[in-house]
Amino acid sequence: MLRLSHAATIGGCLLTMGIAAQQYDLRVFGVEDGLPGSTVHAITQDSAGFLWVDTDGGLCRFDGRTFRSEGTAGWPGHGTDQLELNASNGARWSIVRSGGIDRYHHGRIQHFSQDNGLSSDELTCLFEDRSGVIWIGSRAGGLIRYTSDAVIQYGRSNGLPSSQVVSISWKEGNTIITTRAGFVVIDSTGSVRAKSVVPGPLIPGTQHSWPTPDHAPRLNCLVRSPDGRSWAASDHGVEVDSPDGILRVGRDTTEAIALAVADDSMLIGTHHGLFTAPLDNSAANWTHLFRAGEEDITSLVRDRAGNVWIGTADRGVLRYSDNGTQRWTTREKLVSDRVRSLLLDAYQNLWVGTDRGFDLLELDDLQEEVINIKHYGLADGFPGIDAMPNACMLDADSALWFGTTRGAVRFDPRRVLEDPIAPRTRITDLALFFEHADLRPWCDSVTVDGLPVDLQLPHDQNHLTFTFTGLSLAYPEKVRFQFMLEGHDADWSPITPNDRITYTDLAPGSYVFLVKARNGSGVWNDEPARFAFMITPPFWMTGWFRITGGIAFVLAFFGLQRLRDRRTRQVRERLERMVTERTQELSDEKHRSEILLLNILPETTAAELKKFGSAQARSYAECTVLFSDFQGFTVLSEQLEATGIVTELDRFFRAFDRITDTYGTEKIKTIGDAYMCASGVPEPSRTHALDAVLMAFEMLSVVEAINADREQHAHPAWPIRIGLNSGPLIAGVVGEKKFAYDVWGDTVNLASRMESSGVPGRINVTSATLVHVEPYVQYEARGKVMLKGKGGVESWFIDRLRPEYSTDDRGRTGNDRLMELRAAWKRT
């Protein structure tokens, strides 16, 4: 990030520089790394893959990680004091008498000395191992390893005015590096050329500065849109250059950290989420894109597939697309969650610059899945691991440029030396309870490496620690292992850099320990190293002891078990009989209770009462209430005994009850000779009025049939009056004892008045009921009827169903068409 007010400092005049120095993959091993001496006389490699080094302090063996001193005798092969070496890749190496070493390759001479990576100019020997790594012995600087020249460093020592690189851009084959103290231009040959002082930071892709006044806000990012305009993100928002000068994008003054160009808009990353603004600069303000206020964004980049990659301050990398979001953090093997920069290479793979190094996220061809994550740091030739914010670029040669706190880095992935040779895996040590115990009493012999052959340990010696190594001298710090103990582990272990594993409390049995290794290029060895051994069981776990003890136990158990089985069977049968009887009694009682409750209450109300102990009254917007009574019942009751009256009423009411089942109406109660029911409760029904009218027709038919039978036996007829009304009401159960389902409301009262003001043998209804059934019935207007407490109320006599809906000559029975319409009406 730059301070526009520091324009003079940023520009910084530089003197003309020569060709940039390169930071080769050279690593020096000295006495502090375990080398017995600092003067190396000879180097060779044995058939197992170990590197042997002869020094003035004695002989040592190197497995890629540690040096193991072997004294002064026992040289395992023929060493070399050669001063020249023809490498397998065609390069020729030659130690220079005046100091350093020359490398001849493809007509090009490269000289290495203390000035560009060697620990000493006094060299003694050369050696190339099987993986193509060059090893150089020095007189006082220890052992030097050369791998590749994939990384080139630019710092203060070779032309940069400051090691703090702020931004990197490219134009017409030149790389422009902006630092805290100014900027330089690196041409296609790698030469560093000085630039004059500029009044501000560079515009990406140009050699011109951003024209801003003094005391301007801090500039965080510069990008160029497809129309050729430059956009700047600062702590006061976003600005864009135009023929009229610098214009602000929108009215938002939120600090802008990073920018990325979308199809027709500019993506803006802030400390408070991701925003967007149109490229035509017509927006009055920015627009939240997603997760506003949740992401502290540090960098943005958009790939060819349209995915937006977002770097955050402390929550890793986020990918935003039409399919949603996906996050990668240290849980997914990122080296750090604090992202400083993002860069897409020529293959659209993502490079992530953090405060602890650089990660490469390799993507599949469809840009959908991350198939691998690789880390690059000091071991790969990067001079610094702390990436500068948004200081990165892909140049025309597909090389990657990164700005770090220790200078600029040019990284060419195509020149990285791949190691095709799989590491040789060796089991180097076996410890018992973390100690080097004498294993000879439990094995046949011991190998030259100190490992036992045909090891059979007793059951209490079951705590083993295996130490192993993978011989890959090119990048030993990148060697990874997988191991498995057959007979104990179900599968291979996760990939790990650890070269030691401990197994505790191993059960008796046969085991085979397997371990395989992978080099820094991802090549695994085909055949893992093996070590077979056995843990013998104690005598009480042997077969003969178990068989003898098992037979004795079975015989004793068999006799006791037969006695117990006999007694248990008798008790079980008695209990089963008792349980069956009690269960049947409870079932019968429950069934009787259910039937009784359903005869008293509707099914839904009964279920609610059983579940909660009470039933709440409910309001119904549309229902129809039917009232009926027998005219002259008082006179009739005086002519009969009480038992006779009850018997006759029961005959009528039983018939009415069966009719309620036919038309789905709910019987509410009987009061003397009055019979009350409602349609549309407790389950609402759109056909409530039609159902009630059909029930009334059926009631008239039943009463006429019973009265005809009474007249044949010289008994007086009981004429019936029926009244109906439709409207809202409340239905439910009240009280704590002797529950009864009832209905309340003015609809009920008016239905009662319709019945009392009616005519025997006819159905008297209100306009509220008629409006529901008018298309299906023939009716007769009564005019206004004076009712107590209601005044004049319009009422109607319903005589019969219309002919097209009736199946008998009296018009009281609905045909199939009416029933189908009724059923369809209920469904809708």
Side-chain angles (χ1 to χ4, degrees):
M1 293 183 289
L2 301 175
R3 288 281 184 182
L4 300 184
S5 59
H6 297 168
T9 304
I10 296 172
C13 283
L14 300 175
L15 297 176
T16 303
M17 300 294 177
I19 298 178
Q22 297 184 352
Q23 179 64 40
Y24 298 97
D25 196 353
L26 296 171
R27 183 172 178 181
V28 180
F29 300 91
V31 176
E32 64 276 7
D33 299 302
L35 208 65
S38 59
T39 300
V40 179
H41 301 297
I43 311 167
T44 190
Q45 190 174 28
D46 62 18
S47 59
F50 292 99
L51 192 73
W52 293 81
V53 184
D54 183 22
T55 72
D56 58 350
L59 185 67
C60 65
R61 188 184 75 174
F62 183 53
D63 61 4
R65 291 171 177 256
T66 58
F67 292 93
R68 175 180 171 183
S69 180
E70 299 290 343
T72 58
W75 182 253
H78 178 67
T80 176
D81 291 329
Q82 60 180 342
L83 301 181
E84 292 187 354
L85 172 68
N86 292 320
S88 58
N89 63 353
R92 182 185 177 192
W93 295 78
S94 179
I95 295 178
V96 182
R97 294 186 179 275
S98 60
I101 187 171
D102 288 335
R103 178 176 182 265
Y104 303 83
H105 195 213
H106 297 312
R108 180 186 176 192
I109 300 177
Q110 295 173 295
H111 180 70
F112 297 88
S113 64
Q114 282 185 295
D115 295 334
N116 57 356
L118 294 186
S119 58
S120 173
D121 285 341
E122 298 184 24
L123 308 179
T124 59
C125 58
L126 288 167
F127 178 75
E128 181 184 21
D129 66 20
R130 292 183 179 87
S131 60
V133 176
I134 304 299
W135 297 85
I136 307 170
S138 70
R139 188 170 303 280
L143 185 65
I144 303 167
R145 183 190 68 188
Y146 175 89
T147 303
S148 67
D149 59 352
V151 176
I152 304 176
Q153 175 187 356
Y154 294 88
R156 296 178 63 90
S157 62
N158 53 6
L160 259 65
S162 170
S163 60
Q164 296 280 326
V165 177
V166 176
S167 66
I168 305 173
S169 59
W170 178 87
K171 182 180 181 183
E172 298 176 355
N174 296 324
T175 302
I176 304 171
I177 300 179
T178 305
T179 71
R180 293 283 188 184
F183 70 93
V184 295
V185 176
I186 302 175
D187 60 21
S188 58
T189 65
S191 299
V192 178
R193 295 189 286 108
K195 290 294 294 184
S196 301
V197 177
V198 294
L202 288 178
I203 298 175
T206 73
Q207 300 182 28
H208 306 288
S209 63
W210 182 260
T212 54
D214 293 337
H215 308 291
R218 180 177 57 188
L219 186 66
N220 299 317
C221 181
L222 287 169
V223 300
R224 184 173 288 276
S225 57
D227 58 4
R229 295 188 299 168
S230 295
W231 297 63
S234 71
D235 55 3
H236 284 183
V238 176
E239 297 176 342
V240 60
D241 67 330
S242 69
D244 299 328
I246 303 300
L247 301 178
R248 179 173 300 279
V249 178
R251 296 196 302 270
D252 205 309
T253 57
T254 302
E255 181 180 5
I257 305 299
L259 300 174
V261 180
D263 295 331
D264 56 357
S265 61
M266 181 67 68
L267 301 175
I268 306 168
T270 72
H271 290 306
H272 307 290
L274 185 63
F275 297 79
T276 181
L279 289 177
D280 59 7
N281 194 28
S282 62
N285 212 328
W286 304 349
T287 302
H288 291 294
L289 189 57
F290 85 110
R291 287 178 172 266
E294 294 185 18
E295 301 293 344
D296 187 354
I297 297 177
T298 59
S299 51
L300 291 172
V301 69
R302 186 171 183 264
D303 61 22
R304 284 197 297 255
N307 301 312
V308 179
W309 296 87
I310 304 170
T312 65
D314 56 4
R315 298 181 64 187
V317 177
L318 189 69
R319 178 172 65 184
Y320 170 68
S321 65
D322 294 337
N323 298 326
T325 59
Q326 189 175 3
R327 189 182 301 275
W328 287 267
T329 63
T330 51
R331 291 185 177 182
E332 288 75 30
K333 308 304 182 185
L334 284 186
V335 68
S336 173
D337 289 337
R338 292 181 288 275
V339 179
R340 303 287 180 81
S341 64
L342 296 175
L343 178 64
L344 291 169
D345 63 17
Y347 301 100
Q348 292 290 285
N349 294 316
L350 185 69
W351 290 78
V352 182
T354 71
D355 62 339
R356 298 182 59 190
F358 297 84
D359 287 321
L360 169 61
L361 274 63
E362 296 185 63
L363 301 170
D364 62 2
D365 294 338
L366 299 178
Q367 297 294 112
E368 293 179 352
E369 298 293 334
V370 174
I371 58 179
N372 191 25
I373 297 179
K374 294 183 179 180
H375 176 66
Y376 293 85
L378 296 176
D380 304 283
F382 281 68
I385 61 173
D386 193 358
M388 293 295 291
N390 295 317
C392 55
M393 187 194 71
L394 177 70
D395 67 16
D397 297 327
S398 298
L400 307 173
W401 291 80
F402 299 100
T404 73
T405 56
R406 296 184 59 187
V409 178
R410 182 181 185 272
F411 182 81
D412 190 349
R414 299 169 299 178
R415 301 177 64 185
V416 175
L417 177 62
E418 296 291 338
D419 185 3
I421 302 177
R424 298 190 178 187
T425 310
R426 295 287 185 271
I427 299 173
T428 58
D429 191 22
L430 175 63
L432 191 62
F433 292 98
F434 301 113
E435 296 181 357
H436 294 282
D438 186 6
L439 302 177
R440 288 177 295 180
W442 301 308
C443 66
D444 293 342
S445 59
V446 178
T447 65
V448 293
D449 294 331
L451 296 177
V453 177
D454 194 17
L455 179 64
Q456 297 185 11
L457 295 170
H459 70 279
D460 56 348
Q461 302 296 318
N462 58 353
H463 190 290
L464 302 178
T465 300
F466 294 92
T467 304
F468 39 84
T469 186
L471 297 172
S472 178
L473 304 181
Y475 293 100
E477 67 278 355
K478 293 187 177 182
V479 174
R480 297 295 182 265
F481 302 95
Q482 274 189 305
F483 48 82
M484 179 176 64
L485 184 60
E486 290 185 350
H488 181 272
D489 297 332
D491 200 355
W492 289 92
S493 70
I495 300 175
T496 176
N498 299 326
D499 59 356
R500 181 174 300 178
I501 181 62
T502 298
Y503 291 95
T504 62
D505 296 328
L506 291 176
S510 297
Y511 299 95
V512 178
F513 178 71
L514 305 174
V515 59
K516 58 184 180 180
R518 183 194 72 185
N519 65 14
S521 298
V523 180
W524 290 90
N525 59 320
D526 296 330
E527 187 64 28
R530 305 169 61 89
F531 180 79
F533 65 98
M534 177 183 292
I535 305 293
T536 59
F539 75 92
W540 60 83
M541 297 181 64
T542 57
W544 65 266
F545 181 84
R546 290 180 175 178
I547 293 174
T548 303
I551 293 174
F553 177 78
V554 168
L555 292 176
F557 179 77
F558 183 73
L560 293 175
Q561 190 65 31
R562 292 199 62 179
L563 292 176
R564 291 184 58 189
D565 289 346
R566 183 177 179 182
R567 183 175 302 172
T568 302
R569 185 171 59 253
Q570 294 173 349
V571 174
R572 185 176 62 250
E573 291 174 353
R574 185 174 67 254
L575 290 176
E576 288 177 351
R577 288 194 301 269
M578 293 175 61
V579 170
T580 301
E581 293 173 358
R582 297 295 185 270
T583 302
Q584 185 61 42
E585 292 175 0
L586 290 174
S587 178
D588 295 342
E589 186 64 29
K590 181 180 179 182
H591 181 66
R592 287 193 295 270
S593 300
E594 293 283 350
I595 294 176
L596 180 60
L597 188 60
L598 292 177
N599 277 332
I600 299 173
L601 301 174
E603 183 177 354
T604 55
T605 305
E608 183 180 358
L609 192 62
K610 289 189 294 182
K611 183 175 181 180
F612 301 106
S614 63
Q616 191 169 356
R618 289 179 172 82
S619 298
Y620 296 87
E622 284 292 337
C623 298
T624 299
V625 179
L626 182 150
F627 269 94
S628 72
D629 74 343
F630 295 101
Q631 186 176 23
F633 180 76
T634 303
V635 177
L636 293 173
S637 62
E638 294 175 353
Q639 300 173 2
L640 297 174
E641 296 180 356
T643 55
I645 295 175
V646 173
T647 301
E648 290 301 319
L649 282 175
D650 183 66
R651 182 181 181 185
F652 283 102
F653 288 169
R654 283 180 180 270
F656 296 167
D657 290 344
R658 289 190 291 270
I659 299 174
T660 60
D661 294 336
T662 302
Y663 295 101
T665 56
E666 184 69 29
K667 177 182 177 181
I668 303 302
K669 59 185 173 181
T670 60
I671 306 173
D673 64 324
Y675 187 92
M676 176 184 177
C677 63
S679 179
V681 295
E683 298 297 332
S685 172
R686 296 192 63 185
T687 62
H688 57 88
L690 183 58
D691 293 338
V693 169
L694 292 174
M695 178 175 176
F697 283 143
E698 194 77 19
M699 291 172 65
L700 290 178
S701 298
V702 168
V703 170
E704 289 175 0
I706 296 176
N707 284 335
D709 181 68
R710 290 179 55 82
E711 289 175 353
Q712 290 180 1
H713 294 84
H715 296 306
W718 287 22
I720 189 171
R721 294 178 301 195
I722 299 176
L724 285 82
N725 182 36
S726 300
L729 55 77
I730 298 174
V733 176
V734 295
E736 296 182 353
K737 298 180 179 180
K738 296 182 180 180
F739 295 117
Y741 190 75
D742 207 346
V743 293
W744 303 271
D746 190 63
T747 300
V748 180
N749 298 332
L750 189 53
S752 177
R753 299 288 191 277
M754 286 292 102
E755 174 269 319
S756 61
S757 64
V759 176
R762 305 196 73 177
I763 303 172
N764 191 27
V765 301
T766 62
S767 300
T769 301
L770 182 65
V771 72
H772 291 288
V773 298
E774 183 178 2
Y776 311 103
V777 300
Q778 294 180 353
Y779 53 89
E780 175 187 342
R782 295 187 64 192
K784 290 187 178 182
V785 178
M786 298 303 297
L787 302 179
K788 181 180 178 180
K790 298 293 183 180
V793 176
E794 291 286 345
S795 63
W796 312 79
F797 284 135
I798 295 179
D799 296 328
R800 55 180 294 160
L801 291 172
R802 293 183 182 273
E804 60 269 28
Y805 298 116
S806 177
T807 58
D808 63 358
D809 56 356
R810 305 190 66 181
R812 292 182 178 176
T813 303
N815 60 12
D816 292 341
R817 180 183 176 191
L818 180 62
M819 296 301 108
E820 291 174 0
L821 289 173
R822 177 170 166 265
W825 201 4
K826 281 182 176 291
R827 287 195 299 270
T828 58

